[in-house]
């Protein structure tokens, strides 16, 4: 195992309806994910989760280390979270769940470009 473990940060938004879900995905795609990457993540992805109920969208970010993630949380996350909550407040029926974990193993498929 590598001496420095990568960190996966996941934010799951549960949205009240499909129009709000589309608006949320567009906001993520239009710059929020890129902002998190500029602030220290190696990569970011937006995933529409399968759901039998309210729409759910996951933003997934990979950080090179716990130190990089902690730096993001301390320096940039408060501002970026505030921007998101201003657009998608609880009063609009939006809720957020955050998960953080250490990547123990990752395989890359044969089509992955290697340096």
């Amino acid at each position: 195992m590598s001496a420095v473990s990568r960190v996966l940060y996941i934010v799951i938004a549960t949205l009240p309806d499909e129009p709000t879900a589309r608006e949320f995905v567009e906001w993520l795609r239009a710059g929020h994910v890129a902002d998190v990457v500029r602030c220290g993540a190696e990569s970011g992805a937006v995933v529409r989760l399968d759901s039998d109920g309210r729409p759910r969208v996951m933003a997934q970010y990979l950080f090179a280390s716990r130190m990089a993630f902690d730096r993001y949380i301390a320096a940039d996350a408060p501002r970026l979270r505030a921007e998101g909550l201003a657009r998608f407040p609880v009063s609009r029926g939006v809720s957020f769940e955050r998960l953080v974990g250490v990547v123990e193993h990752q395989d890359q498929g044969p089509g992955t470009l290697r340096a």
Side-chain angles (χ1 to χ4, degrees), residues 45-60:
V46 177
V47 179
R48 177 71 76 114
L49 298 173
D50 290 347
S51 175
D52 290 336
R54 294 170 53 191
R56 297 176 75 209
V57 175
M58 176 176 67
Q60 178 177 298

Side-chain angles (χ1 to χ4, degrees), residues 5 20 25 27 30 32 37 71 73 76:
S5 296
T20 306
V25 168
W27 174 72
H32 182 75
V37 171
R71 188 171 35 248
I73 290 298
D76 299 297

Side-chain angles (χ1 to χ4, degrees), residues 8-72:
L8 184 65
Y9 176 47
I10 296 171
V11 180
I12 299 172
T14 302
L15 303 128
D17 52 40
E18 195 54 41
T20 306
R22 285 192 300 273
E23 180 186 351
F24 184 72
V25 168
E26 182 53 35
W27 174 72
L28 291 171
R29 292 178 63 173
H32 182 75
V33 171
D35 287 343
V36 175
V37 171
R38 271 192 295 279
C39 291
E42 288 185 336
S43 64
V46 177
V47 179
R48 177 71 76 114
L49 298 173
D50 290 347
S51 175
D52 290 336
R54 294 170 53 191
R56 297 176 75 209
V57 175
M58 176 176 67
Q60 178 177 298
Y61 305 99
L62 187 62
F63 287 82
S65 66
R66 177 64 71 165
M67 187 168 63
F69 174 72
D70 289 345
R71 188 171 35 248
Y72 163 76

